[in-house]
Amino acid sequence: MNQLVASLRELKTRTGLSLAGLAAKTPYSKSSWERYLNGKTLPPREAVEELCRLAGEPVGRCVALWEIAEAETSGRGASEGVTAPPPPLPPAPVPEVAASPGHRRGVAALAVLGSVCALAGGLVVALLLLPHHHPSPAASFPSSTGSVSGPRCREATCEGRSPVTMHCGAQPDTLRTYRTATGAYVQLRHSGECGTSWTRMWGGRIGDRIEMDVSGRTSPVRGARVRTSKEANTYIYTVMTVTRPGTVIHSCFRPATGGGQECFEGRVH
């Protein structure tokens, strides 16, 4: 969470916008941005994406930081083995000032030296965080997809696994959004990179449950339940199931108290 907050503050600085300015350019209020930027509340993923776009930062990296923070605050990070966050955002460029040629060369040399040191430090940290075992061949991918925001599984190797820890939730498609009678929101999500789908919910209450299955398939029902107040204030996810274009996904919401089951469907494009 601290890494995400620091990155969001840096992005805000890059935009040059005040809290009121952010509120004017996004669907989120000034008070909401104050909470997000001070670490009082985990921002919605969409708010992070909006700020990244305003600052000209690649959305995929920002989302990776958000996914890790969301897993940590919900308590899933410890049990699901969320990997370490990527290095911090690069510092904003220093404004040019009038100076003698010799002074400019000195500043440039210091900047190059600082960049080299930062890169070396990042490599050392990355090597220390590497696991001491080799991944199985089924879960191995070329180095070009090994970034934090890249998927760590594909299709069959993703079955029954978390979209957060497998990094399949970086840039998924939303197949359907449904608002329940209790005010909770349920979404069907699909990752073309991973070839999988899952259901997520936010705004639920402790004891609320979501379930998902694939029409015409005998695969097990995937479910998730709100267990704590933290999860009630953020997202919960089902594990993933393999889906291909044309697949119809059936999802249900089961409230803890009051009201009956609410179900809806979505189709993979």
Side-chain angles (χ1 to χ4, degrees):
M1 183 68 170
N2 291 338
Q3 178 69 41
L4 175 64
V5 171
S7 297
L8 293 180
R9 289 178 178 174
E10 173 62 27
L11 292 172
K12 175 185 175 296
T13 300
R14 290 190 193 181
T15 66
L17 296 172
S18 63
L19 293 177
L22 287 176
K25 290 182 175 291
T26 67
Y28 306 94
S29 66
K30 178 181 176 181
S31 60
S32 294
W33 280 115
E34 189 276 330
R35 293 195 300 272
Y36 305 155
L37 294 169
N38 286 293
K40 298 176 182 177
T41 305
L42 179 70
R45 171 190 167 128
E46 290 77 8
V48 174
E49 292 176 346
E50 290 282 350
L51 185 55
C52 286
R53 293 189 184 99
L54 289 173
E57 178 73 12
V59 173
R61 184 189 183 283
C62 298
V63 169
L65 284 172
W66 179 88
E67 295 281 2
I68 293 169
E70 189 279 330
E72 290 174 350
T73 56
S74 65
R76 288 189 293 274
S79 61
E80 295 180 348
V82 175
T83 57
L89 292 170
V94 178
E96 294 185 0
V97 297
S100 65
H103 179 71
R104 285 198 295 270
R105 285 196 297 271
V107 171
L110 287 175
V112 171
L113 180 60
S115 299
V116 171
C117 292
L119 177 60
L123 289 173
V124 170
V125 172
L127 289 172
L128 291 174
L129 292 173
L130 284 174
H132 297 292
H133 65 279
H134 297 288
S136 62
S140 298
F141 299 103
S143 59
S144 60
T145 60
S147 66
V148 171
S149 58
R152 298 176 61 190
C153 65
R154 296 188 191 279
E155 298 188 349
T157 58
C158 295
E159 186 72 41
R161 307 186 78 173
S162 164
V164 175
T165 58
M166 292 297 103
H167 302 159
C168 293
Q171 293 180 320
D173 297 320
T174 298
L175 304 180
R176 179 85 184 273
T177 299
Y178 177 86
R179 185 177 184 182
T180 70
T182 63
Y185 285 88
V186 183
Q187 281 186 333
L188 286 177
R189 308 278 272 177
H190 174 74
S191 169
E193 287 188 299
C194 294
T196 58
S197 297
W198 62 94
T199 296
R200 74 173 181 176
M201 177 177 70
W202 71 95
R205 304 170 183 172
I206 296 177
D208 286 353
R209 181 175 176 81
I210 49 174
E211 294 180 349
M212 180 190 75
D213 64 274
V214 176
S215 298
R217 192 190 298 177
T218 57
S219 57
V221 174
R222 305 301 187 183
R225 183 173 64 86
V226 179
R227 298 165 298 176
T228 66
S229 58
K230 282 187 177 181
E231 290 185 346
N233 292 322
T234 183
Y235 295 102
I236 64 167
Y237 304 79
T238 68
V239 294
M240 297 182 285
T241 192
V242 176
T243 54
R244 293 177 174 83
T247 302
V248 175
I249 306 169
H250 185 74
S251 184
C252 289
F253 167 74
R254 301 176 183 271
T257 57
Q261 172 179 286
E262 300 176 50
C263 298
F264 62 100
E265 292 182 343
R267 183 183 296 271
V268 178
H269 305 306

